[in-house]
Amino acid sequence: MSTVIPSRTQSPAAAPAPTARPPRLLDWRLRFGLLSLIWGFSFLLIKVGTGAYAPFQVTLGRLLFGTLVLVAAMAVKRERLPRGGRTWAHLTVAAFFLNALPFSLFAFAELTIPSTLAGICNATSPLWGMAFSLVALSEDRPTRIRVAGLGLGFLGVLTVLGAWQGFHGLDARGTALALLASLSYPVGWIYVRRTLAGTTHSHLSMTGAQLLLATAQLALITPLFTTLPAHFPVLPLLAVAALGTLGTGLAMLVQYGLVAEVGPTTAQMVTYFVPVIATVAGVTILGESLHWTTPVGAAVVIAGAALTQVRRKG
């Protein structure tokens, strides 16, 4: 569910070259707002889903519904899955770090932490991404502004967590899982950039295969750690279905459409709206409490994340 879209999108394919495109039904600004809402509400949907189903079951359902959306889109556009054992091997790794692992970690995290905190933890992905890229990507050189953004962002994390109060009232395990989930995304992005950046397959084909593999991974893991529910409460089930069809399947289609139309720099700005929407949704709909450190720290995290995306001119 990560919302960062630099040259490191959630799909293995690189951004397509500009081509003549038919007119869009919705202006890109409306689709940008829609994507922000979908991803912002995803944390609320996870919370509702884990209220009745095990985290692995929520994740499996999410991936299954999301895969069905992409498979349907591929059928409409008459696209095939990618070929080649090497491609599928790399996609298997990408599926784990970009889908199966972070989706599961967020589901487990929200058993014990508010959806608002999970949404803010997700916003730290650009910070982790920059820290890792400085080590793993030789072309990604640091600047003073970006390093300052990295430090500012993690200061914001400490503010959200109330570090000077000894993390009082905070579930350390749940928070650590959410931060690990956000950390998993840049690990996956860097792997993708190193292995699949030059692929000739389409975004839709690669992403469909990636979600298919992630679904298979969860289908193998889930029966080992959970049992089939005796009851299927409707509201949590609808939450899981919405999380998959909207928060995963539709969101990915909208995301890559934005990248192709306005470029990754503009599209990635959705990152800065998601924690705001997640906080508003958690407080107003789920009745989660809000201490002053949460919005203040979130603002600092977002500011730091924005600075890490500033590139050297020329």
Side-chain angles (χ1 to χ4, degrees):
M1 180 191 318
S2 173
T3 57
V4 181
I5 322 168
S7 50
R8 48 177 194 270
T9 65
Q10 287 183 7
S11 170
T19 56
R21 291 180 294 271
R24 300 279 185 172
L25 294 178
L26 289 177
D27 181 79
W28 74 265
R29 297 170 186 84
L30 294 177
R31 285 179 281 124
F32 181 97
L34 175 63
L35 184 59
S36 300
L37 285 172
I38 289 174
W39 268 334
F41 271 87
S42 291
F43 297 95
L44 179 149
L45 295 174
I46 293 172
K47 193 72 170 180
V48 174
T50 53
Y53 302 105
F56 278 137
Q57 292 170 344
V58 171
T59 304
L60 175 59
R62 173 184 187 174
L63 288 168
L64 178 60
F65 282 108
T67 301
L68 290 175
V69 170
L70 290 183
V71 167
M74 290 178 64
V76 170
K77 294 190 175 184
R78 297 182 179 181
E79 291 203 22
R80 296 180 178 179
L81 291 171
R83 297 179 180 179
R86 178 181 176 277
T87 297
W88 279 89
H90 289 315
L91 282 174
T92 300
V93 178
F96 177 74
F97 283 108
L98 293 175
N99 302 114
L101 179 60
F103 290 1
S104 298
L105 289 174
F106 272 123
F108 275 100
E110 290 200 41
L111 291 175
T112 55
I113 67 171
S115 64
T116 55
L117 179 56
I120 294 170
C121 288
N122 180 73
T124 65
S125 281
L127 306 177
W128 298 118
M130 182 201 160
F132 286 145
S133 66
L134 295 180
V135 176
L137 300 174
S138 59
E139 72 273 15
D140 207 353
R141 295 292 89 196
T143 64
R144 291 181 179 180
I145 292 178
R146 298 181 69 201
V147 172
L150 186 64
L152 183 64
F154 284 114
L155 178 62
V157 173
L158 294 176
T159 302
V160 171
L161 303 182
W164 63 88
Q165 298 174 333
F167 305 103
H168 179 69
L170 183 73
D171 183 81
R173 178 177 176 273
T175 305
L177 290 176
L179 289 172
L180 283 173
S182 70
L183 184 151
S184 178
Y185 290 119
V187 172
W189 294 322
I190 290 174
Y191 180 83
V192 162
R193 287 179 63 179
R194 283 182 170 274
T195 59
L196 292 167
T199 182
T200 57
H201 298 291
S202 71
H203 281 305
L204 183 57
S205 173
M206 296 291 279
T207 306
Q210 182 180 306
L211 280 188
L212 185 63
L213 287 166
T215 304
Q217 291 169 2
L218 262 295
L220 292 174
I221 292 295
T222 301
L224 300 178
F225 296 95
T226 66
T227 56
L228 190 67
H231 306 284
F232 292 87
V234 176
L235 183 60
L237 184 60
L238 290 176
V240 173
L243 181 63
T245 55
L246 301 178
T248 304
L250 178 62
M252 284 189 168
L253 295 177
V254 173
Q255 177 192 23
Y256 300 130
L258 286 173
V259 171
E261 184 171 348
V262 300
T265 301
T266 299
Q268 75 178 6
M269 291 180 67
V270 71
T271 304
Y272 314 128
F273 293 88
V274 170
V276 177
I277 295 171
T279 298
V280 172
V283 171
T284 59
I285 299 176
L286 297 180
E288 296 176 346
S289 60
L290 185 67
H291 192 264
W292 71 266
T293 56
T294 300
V296 171
V300 176
V301 169
I302 293 170
L307 288 177
T308 64
Q309 304 307 304
V310 175
R311 304 289 172 175
R312 182 184 285 109
K313 293 182 179 180

